[in-house]
Amino acid sequence: MSFALTIGGKAVPCADSFAVIDPATGAEFAQCPLASVEQLDQAVAAARAAFPGWAATPIERRAEMIHAFADALAAEADELGALLSREQGKPLRAAVGEIHGAIHWTRTTAGFRPAVERIEQADGGRVEIHRKPLGVVGSITPWNFPVMIAIWHVIPALVAGNTVVQKPSPNTPLATLRVVEIAARHLPAGVWNVVTGDIEIGSGIARHPDIDKVVFTGSTPTGRAIMRDGAANLKRLTLELGGNDAAIVLPDADVEAIAPQIFQYAFGNSGQICAAIKRVYVHDSLHDALAEKVAALAAAAKVGPGADPATQYGPLQNRRQFDYVRSLAEDARARGGRFLAGGEPLDGEGYFFPLSVVVDVTDGNRIVDEEQFGPVLPIVRYSDVEDVLARANASENGLGGSVWSSDIGRAAELAQRLECGTAWVNSHSKISPDVPFGGAKQSGIGVEFGLHGLDEYMQLQTVRLPAGA
Ligand code: NAD
């Protein structure tokens, strides 16, 4: 396997490289080229040079090229999925599913058209509101859904007429390098460039005077650093950051029906989903029954290497996350938490942690207050609905939240009182390419997806015309 940067439409080798680790073994399985700061500058220059031509290309033509790229992704979905599974750790089926999800997102987003709005004025004058691309967009992605999130960032930027310099997480760079290599066959040179590296190149993107906007998905501390670094040229920002989503189960919920769903939305991708259920508050009257059912599902789940067809849940993606999740589980136990499933790392090599359910923990415990981003779910008792709403909202995060009940109207009222960007009733985590998604409070700035998401890649321009125009 050999990999290269894509700059100005060409495969570009690097003098340095770094190891990519297989999370199922903890051992290196490939070398990834490491971009230099000069190569970042070259990528930005290529994107800048490509911008006027791409912005002037009719949107229908841009969309055709993006569809051709989607066709090419579909033709290579199995190979890409295998590479993604190897570097990310998720089961092969889930990795191929991620590629197909990325294709679906690409095609839907390619159908979006920015609106021109018109406002009539009392004096007979007319106002038109146009939307124009921003220029060069820097995209910095995390390691949980490397290909999906790369597509979320780049496709709306391109549809809007911008050009892109992307940097994948150094934990999972390889599938993204392949995706951009494929894109380069279908897009004009310099429209989509990719560089690699960690903080030096990431903050180089955030500081770069010739990048107009940064879209970032990752942790809240890194989001803050990007805001600071981007201030020099007042970069536009879309930040999709951490979450600590609460699910509130009301006393009239149907335990049998909801247990498998709570389980699914908490443990998908081994809990490494920004808007997964990260803490479940269950009314006293249902607490024990629900906790037992979710724990039984967790205990029965098959955790293993992504390449094993029997595997349902893969390892944590990297050593740092594995150590962090383990420390949260240890802290929960030390504070009297009782594990109904899991609780200790699995023996052997690799970053395997079983799906774990812990009860007898509460607010003020790290496992409830912090974002675990891994397969350890706290189930917390409550008795008063107003009190539990306050507890759910007592977080610097505000990505998502959900209310579970047999009374949809009542649940919808409570859902609207959650301080979060998306509130679900009787589900969680569900997203769609045409529905805006973003974080309240310190979970982010701006939204992705749909026409609201497209707007984030465009500058509004108000054109005022005189009466009679
Ligand atoms: P991270 O912040 O450590 O890294 C993300 C990316 O930022 C990587 O590409 C990294 O190289 C780069 N980076 C690191 N320091 C940088 C700096 N100073 N300047 C610029 N770039 C820098 O996050 P992670 O550990 O990869 O991802 C996990 C976190 O991401 C979790 O908190 C999770 O909730 C969040 N996340 C959020 C969403 C969402 O949509 N809100 C989606 C997925 C993940």
Side-chain angles (χ1 to χ4, degrees):
M1 284 187 290
S2 82
F3 298 90
L5 312 181
T6 296
I7 298 177
K10 294 201 175 64
V12 175
C14 297
D16 293 327
S17 65
F18 60 94
V20 183
I21 306 298
D22 179 345
T25 61
E28 171 182 338
F29 82 97
Q31 283 284 314
C32 178
L34 174 63
S36 64
V37 173
E38 292 69 35
Q39 285 173 316
L40 169 61
D41 284 339
Q42 288 161 13
V44 176
R48 179 59 61 194
F51 172 61
W54 182 246
T57 303
I59 193 165
E60 297 301 334
R61 178 69 195 121
R62 290 204 296 263
E64 270 172 33
M65 289 187 244
I66 291 168
H67 276 291
F69 156 67
D71 293 344
L73 270 192
E76 296 192 37
D78 289 345
E79 294 81 352
L80 280 169
L83 181 59
L84 177 61
S85 169
R86 189 83 197 270
E87 66 177 347
Q88 204 286 330
K90 64 185 67 184
L92 182 58
R93 207 174 329 110
V96 173
E98 180 174 337
I99 305 297
H100 285 292
I103 294 165
H104 170 58
W105 232 274
T106 299
R107 293 198 191 286
T108 306
T109 307
F112 295 158
R113 297 292 173 267
V116 179
E117 295 165 68
R118 294 191 170 78
I119 304 171
E120 302 300 332
Q121 296 293 283
D123 65 0
R126 194 151 55 84
V127 175
E128 292 178 356
I129 300 172
H130 294 267
R131 289 165 163 81
K132 300 161 84 166
L134 297 168
V136 177
V137 172
S139 150
I140 302 174
T141 55
W143 43 257
N144 57 340
F145 286 88
V147 171
M148 190 66 151
I149 294 175
I151 292 295
W152 289 351
H153 288 186
V154 173
I155 301 303
L158 299 184
V159 169
N162 303 281
T163 55
V164 174
V165 175
Q166 184 156 54
K167 189 199 80 62
S169 165
N171 293 322
T172 53
L174 301 177
T176 308
L177 291 180
R178 279 281 185 265
V179 166
V180 186
E181 189 184 309
I182 294 168
R185 293 185 216 132
H186 300 278
L187 300 172
V191 164
W192 185 352
N193 308 276
V194 63
V195 293
T196 50
D198 197 3
I199 297 175
E200 189 185 17
I201 298 295
S203 70
I205 289 175
R207 278 187 278 106
H208 208 289
D210 220 17
I211 291 182
D212 302 285
K213 179 201 167 91
V214 169
V215 50
F216 168 72
T217 301
S219 64
T220 302
T222 305
R224 283 194 201 100
I226 288 173
M227 265 190 110
R228 276 195 300 273
D229 285 338
N233 69 336
L234 283 184
K235 275 191 184 62
R236 275 49 181 165
L237 295 173
T238 303
L239 304 177
E240 297 287 357
L241 309 176
N244 192 16
D245 290 13
I248 298 176
V249 180
L250 299 184
D252 68 351
D254 176 347
V255 169
E256 283 299 323
I258 71 171
Q261 296 194 63
I262 298 235
F263 169 78
Q264 174 195 342
Y265 296 126
F267 290 110
N269 209 38
S270 299
Q272 302 163 112
I273 294 184
C274 53
I277 295 176
K278 305 234 165 90
R279 43 191 176 131
V280 189
Y281 292 98
V282 189
H283 189 265
D284 252 336
S285 57
L286 307 180
H287 174 278
D288 293 355
L290 185 70
E292 271 164 32
K293 288 206 184 318
V294 175
L297 292 166
K302 171 90 176 76
V303 176
D308 179 347
T311 292
Q312 296 170 303
Y313 297 87
L316 273 303
Q317 199 283 323
N318 57 75
R319 158 69 64 185
R320 201 181 58 151
Q321 195 62 27
F322 174 77
D323 289 342
Y324 177 64
V325 167
R326 181 165 56 182
S327 79
L328 289 182
E330 280 165 9
D331 185 76
R333 190 174 294 104
R335 317 230 160 249
R338 209 160 34 92
F339 279 88
L340 302 183
E344 307 260 10
L346 297 176
D347 287 339
E349 46 184 24
Y351 310 139
F352 292 103
F353 205 95
L355 307 196
S356 306
V357 173
V358 60
V359 293
D360 298 348
V361 287
T362 191
D363 305 80
N365 297 153
R366 289 182 62 204
I367 189 62
V368 180
D369 291 358
E370 296 182 25
E371 178 187 29
Q372 67 276 54
F373 213 64
V376 179
L377 181 67
I379 298 190
V380 182
R381 223 176 253 288
Y382 79 88
S383 52
D384 178 75
V385 170
E386 287 301 320
D387 176 58
V388 81
L389 260 183
R391 288 155 72 184
N393 286 336
S395 169
E396 69 174 32
N397 293 300
L399 193 57
S402 57
V403 180
W404 300 73
S405 169
S406 300
D407 180 345
I408 304 293
R410 165 100 175 110
E413 266 173 43
L414 293 173
Q416 286 177 61
R417 292 174 59 197
L418 287 171
E419 295 167 1
C420 57
T422 302
W424 291 268
V425 170
N426 292 349
S427 78
H428 207 110
S429 313
K430 277 187 183 163
I431 51 172
S432 326
D434 55 348
V435 176
F437 173 82
K441 302 199 277 187
Q442 294 189 42
S443 285
I445 292 182
V447 294
E448 295 188 273
F449 316 152
L451 288 173
H452 293 89
L454 192 66
D455 267 352
E456 303 257 337
Y457 294 94
M458 308 199 88
Q459 173 68 47
L460 288 187
Q461 186 185 40
T462 300
V463 179
R464 301 196 76 110
L465 302 166

